[in-house]
């Protein structure tokens, strides 16, 4: 009988969330989460810091929620290293340059490479005697580095990661001063982008640069990869951002199917090109 009574009891209907509260005190779960413009949100974070007397140089973070689905497959979690328009840390990464050309080696040293050498480094790296944050190489030596491929994994020099090329100063600068981020839990990126005491326009420029870099991992003919974006500081609540004006503009292609195929073909071609020197 008690079971029958439980069955007879109708389940409560969920009401749709209301948009804006009219009182100062309200139950947040009854209302839709407010969405803010980027400049407004950064201003609010700065105001929170003043009112709460927290550290003015605290970090600003973003949480980026992604759509990793393509038409016939799913994007694998990815990572990236990029230069921000406005650096917010003095941290410098240790870069190792592979080259057997003495002139290139001198350029690498002058550019700030921590370690420079040729095939003689392979043994030391395999035995963990030599380590670096990033490894870059010129095309002439890449075929000789195959023994390191399993050891270095994603850090093995690759054109797609901009760590295989002929412009040594550019590669060294990128990886010495780069900002890194990676997809976590299959669809979320959590990364710091600035310090709160930086000018608002600098914080905005850094945020947009990271978002634009993230968007390069999904072909433009598909739906945007960024679904939701939240900004916060070390001590503040998260503020959900309006994506208008943040996502890069993409011109709509009339022949959608053909454009998708071209995008996929370009990806495959790029992947092949990046692997060609390795398999030589």
């Amino acid at each position: 009988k008690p079971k029958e009574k439980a069955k007879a009891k109708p389940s409560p209907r969920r009401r749709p969330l209301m948009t804006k509260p009219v009182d100062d005190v309200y139950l947040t779960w009854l209302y839709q989460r407010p969405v803010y413009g980027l400049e407004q949100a950064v201003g609010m974070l700065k105001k929170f810091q003043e009112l709460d007397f927290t550290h003015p140089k605290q970090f600003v973070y973003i949480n980026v929620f992604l759509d990793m689905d393509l038409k016939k497959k799913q994007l694998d979690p990815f990572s990236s290293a990029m230069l921000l328009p406005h650096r917010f840390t003095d941290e410098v990464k240790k870069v190792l340059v592979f080259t057997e050309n003495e002139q290139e080696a001198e350029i690498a040293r002058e550019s700030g490479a921590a370690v420079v050498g040729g095939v003689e480094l392979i043994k030391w790296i395999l035995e963990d005697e030599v380590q670096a944050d990033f490894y870059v190489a010129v095309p002439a030596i890449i075929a000789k580095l195959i023994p390191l491929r399993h050891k270095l994994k994603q850090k093995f020099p690759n054109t797609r990661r901009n760590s295989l090329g002929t412009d040594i100063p550019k590669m060294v600068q990128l990886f010495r001063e780069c900002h890194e981020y990676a997809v976590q839990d299959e669809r979320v990126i959590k990364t710091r982008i600035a310090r709160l005491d930086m000018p608002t326009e600098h914080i905005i420029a850094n945020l947009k640069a990271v978002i634009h870099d993230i968007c390069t991992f999904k072909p433009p003919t598909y739906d945007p990869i960024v679904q939701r974006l939240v900004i916060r500081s070390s001590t503040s609540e998260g503020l959900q951002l309006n994506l208008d004006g943040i996502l890069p503009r993409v011109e709509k292609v009339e022949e959608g199917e053909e454009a998708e195929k071209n995008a996929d073909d370009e990806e495959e071609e790029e992947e092949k090109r990046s692997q060609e020197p390795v398999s030589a």
Side-chain angles (χ1 to χ4, degrees):
K1 284 185 179 180
K3 286 183 181 178
E4 288 176 11
K5 283 184 181 178
K7 284 182 182 177
K9 190 177 179 182
S11 58
R13 285 195 311 170
R14 287 201 63 146
R15 295 182 178 180
L17 294 177
M18 295 174 279
T19 50
K20 261 191 173 181
V22 293
D23 301 315
D24 292 338
V25 180
Y26 57 94
L27 296 169
T28 55
W29 52 269
L30 286 176
Y31 295 87
Q32 293 175 12
R33 186 171 184 177
V35 177
Y36 302 96
L38 182 48
E39 197 167 337
Q40 177 191 14
V42 174
M44 289 172 69
L45 295 184
K46 288 178 176 284
K47 194 70 178 172
F48 293 158
Q49 181 272 317
E50 291 174 12
L51 294 173
D52 296 337
F53 297 100
T54 52
H55 201 281
K57 291 182 178 290
Q58 63 188 279
F59 289 118
V60 177
Y61 296 84
I62 54 172
N63 293 356
V64 191
F65 299 87
L66 306 174
D67 174 11
M68 301 286 280
D69 291 325
L70 298 177
K71 193 172 182 183
K72 295 180 180 177
K73 59 180 179 177
Q74 190 169 21
L75 279 179
D76 292 324
F78 54 84
S79 61
S80 183
M82 58 173 291
L83 286 177
L84 291 172
H86 306 282
R87 291 194 73 201
F88 59 92
T89 173
D90 295 330
E91 183 183 346
V92 173
K93 312 291 197 311
K94 185 178 178 181
V95 181
L96 182 150
V97 177
F98 289 108
T99 178
E100 293 181 308
N101 179 299
E102 189 49 48
Q103 189 178 354
E104 289 177 341
E106 189 57 36
I107 291 170
R109 292 186 195 98
E110 290 174 359
S111 300
V115 182
V116 183
V119 291
E120 74 279 0
L121 292 175
I122 294 176
K123 179 188 174 187
W124 302 113
I125 294 170
L126 289 173
E127 295 177 358
D128 293 324
E129 293 292 330
V130 172
Q131 293 177 323
D133 297 309
F134 292 98
Y135 301 81
V136 304
V138 294
I141 197 175
I142 193 67
K144 299 177 183 178
L145 303 180
I146 291 174
L148 289 175
R149 201 164 178 191
H150 180 70
K151 176 75 173 178
L152 299 184
K153 297 178 182 176
Q154 288 191 338
K155 291 189 175 182
F156 189 85
N158 186 302
T159 52
R160 289 192 78 175
R161 293 181 173 272
N162 300 309
S163 53
L164 174 62
T166 55
D167 193 338
I168 293 173
K170 186 177 179 181
M171 292 191 296
V172 172
Q173 186 203 6
L174 167 62
F175 292 109
R176 283 186 85 233
E177 303 176 2
C178 71
H179 174 72
E180 296 177 86
Y181 66 81
V183 175
Q184 307 167 23
D185 304 323
E186 297 187 347
R187 62 176 294 266
V188 183
I189 292 171
K190 299 178 181 178
T191 184
R192 58 190 192 183
I193 57 162
R195 290 189 184 272
L196 195 54
D197 65 334
M198 289 169 61
T200 298
E201 58 268 27
H202 289 187
I203 297 174
I204 289 174
N206 280 3
L207 181 145
K208 286 186 174 181
V210 173
I211 295 299
H212 282 225
D213 192 69
I214 291 170
C215 288
T216 63
F217 284 89
K218 193 171 184 180
T221 46
Y222 290 85
D223 290 334
I225 190 171
V226 177
Q227 286 188 318
R228 192 157 61 89
L229 178 58
V230 174
I231 189 171
R232 65 177 180 86
S233 70
S234 300
T235 58
S236 79
E237 61 179 287
L239 304 175
Q240 186 167 321
L241 295 174
N242 186 338
L243 294 174
D244 292 343
I246 296 178
L247 299 183
R249 287 186 179 181
V250 177
E251 292 182 16
K252 290 189 176 180
V253 183
E254 290 178 15
E255 299 160 8
E257 289 291 325
E258 189 178 340
E260 285 179 7
K261 186 177 183 302
N262 290 343
D264 285 342
D265 289 346
E266 284 174 15
E267 274 194 312
E268 287 174 15
E269 281 299 314
E270 182 60 37
E271 183 68 33
K272 286 177 187 173
R273 281 198 297 271
S274 68
Q275 299 302 332
E276 276 173 3
V278 178
S279 57

